[in-house]
Amino acid sequence: MGGMFFPFVTTGAINSILFGIYGNHLRQLRRVCHSDYQREKLEYQNMFIAGSVAGFFQSFIACPIELIKVRLQTHCYYNEYIYGKRRTNWGVFKKVLKTDGISGLYRGLLPMMCRDVFPYGIYMMVYRQTVDFLETTPLVRQRRHETSNEGSNVDFVVTTLAGAWAGILSWVCVIPFDVAKTIMQAESKEQYRNIRHCLVKNFKLYGWRRLFRGSWMLVVRAIPVNAATFLGYEYAMEYFHDLNETQAKF
């Protein structure tokens, strides 16, 4: 369980920043459209751009958190625990700053950006496309008609399926970059000059399977995590939208 507490308490903040930047940038892109027709035609493209921009900015926040998590999970068992000393998040943070400076906290940033920037654009776009597709199916239309009198407009099943599918697709294409990021962040000494050197060296030493190590676990993890993420996002957006409307009446 080493390294779990820090990302556990920061995941909510990172997702808030991600979806906040995404929503704000998407609204800006919608405003520059000259008509409703143009806005509707460019909606998926704008979602991809807004998601990519959000992924770019959140990489700078998430990279130090990921590095500390990886160091705790890969080093404490082999080093400090042997001598009866348990590493802490703050202790790892101070040690990285002392030995490598600020740049040490951003080791593996490039592969992380390869993992997060365009994939988050795919993530947001695929989610909305899947929701739109599912809502046109007869089964979902029938369910929506039967539950039209209920309070929430969020369809639990549609949101869950769309979130899970978006998570799977956004992860499948970037697994080698995530592996490279983890390898580079786990090393206490810089053994790799850049992401290309890391990928090529591991491919030559261990074969292509090395670049997809843990891929099944990532895909399986993506299903519940991203379904829950979009459920939380949709319910939160609906709640605050209703709250704003209620306050506007008074």
Side-chain angles (χ1 to χ4, degrees):
M1 298 297 288
M4 284 297 296
F5 178 75
F6 193 44
F8 177 78
V9 298
T10 53
T11 296
I14 292 174
N15 281 334
S16 296
I17 293 169
L18 174 72
F19 280 98
I21 295 173
Y22 166 73
N24 284 314
H25 197 69
L26 182 60
R27 282 190 291 271
Q28 294 298 323
L29 291 172
R30 286 170 174 169
R31 286 172 185 167
V32 300
C33 295
H34 301 294
S35 64
D36 291 339
Y37 172 76
Q38 186 184 35
R39 187 180 299 111
E40 183 178 350
K41 187 177 181 180
L42 297 176
E43 185 69 0
Y44 293 143
Q45 177 182 315
N46 289 340
M47 286 180 174
F48 174 80
I49 295 171
S52 298
V53 170
F56 174 80
F57 283 106
Q58 77 92 35
S59 296
F60 291 93
I61 301 168
C63 188
I65 296 172
E66 289 270 325
L67 182 133
I68 292 171
K69 181 196 74 172
V70 169
R71 290 287 176 87
L72 284 168
Q73 290 179 336
T74 56
H75 283 268
C76 62
Y77 179 79
Y78 297 102
N79 295 329
E80 266 76 357
Y81 277 166
I82 297 176
Y83 302 102
K85 297 179 181 178
R86 184 176 181 179
R87 279 192 175 181
T88 63
N89 303 307
W90 179 241
V92 173
F93 177 77
K94 289 193 297 182
K95 185 172 183 179
V96 172
L97 280 181
K98 184 178 179 180
T99 56
D100 301 320
I102 295 293
S103 62
L105 294 172
Y106 287 93
R107 183 178 298 174
L109 177 62
L110 182 57
M112 188 167 188
M113 293 179 72
C114 293
R115 187 197 73 176
D116 286 354
V117 176
F118 291 128
Y120 267 120
I122 296 170
Y123 182 62
M124 300 299 185
M125 182 182 69
V126 168
Y127 169 74
R128 182 48 54 190
Q129 287 179 329
T130 306
V131 168
D132 292 344
F133 170 77
L134 290 175
E135 287 186 342
T136 62
T137 59
L139 181 61
V140 173
R141 284 183 174 181
Q142 182 180 352
R143 288 183 65 257
R144 188 172 289 277
H145 177 73
E146 292 173 353
T147 60
S148 59
N149 295 327
E150 295 184 4
S152 177
N153 292 320
V154 179
D155 191 308
F156 182 87
V157 176
V158 170
T159 304
T160 300
L161 292 176
W165 181 238
I168 292 171
L169 285 187
S170 63
W171 266 109
V172 164
C173 56
V174 296
I175 290 173
F177 297 114
D178 184 65
V179 172
K181 175 200 74 70
T182 303
I183 292 173
M184 293 174 71
Q185 289 182 335
E187 299 296 337
S188 57
K189 297 180 180 179
E190 292 192 38
Q191 298 184 12
Y192 305 103
R193 295 189 297 272
N194 48 48
I195 180 176
R196 182 179 179 277
H197 183 220
C198 178
L199 290 171
V200 170
K201 185 174 180 179
N202 278 274
F203 176 76
K204 288 181 178 179
L205 290 175
Y206 307 107
W208 65 269
R209 291 180 183 274
R210 171 78 168 191
L211 305 181
F212 290 89
R213 177 176 291 183
S215 56
W216 281 109
M217 289 303 301
L218 285 173
V219 172
V220 170
R221 169 187 172 273
I223 295 173
V225 168
N226 293 287
T229 297
F230 275 107
L231 279 172
Y233 172 72
E234 294 288 5
Y235 279 121
M237 290 294 291
E238 183 180 60
Y239 171 78
F240 286 109
H241 177 73
D242 294 341
L243 184 64
N244 287 334
E245 286 190 344
T246 302
Q247 291 177 345
K249 293 179 181 178
F250 298 97

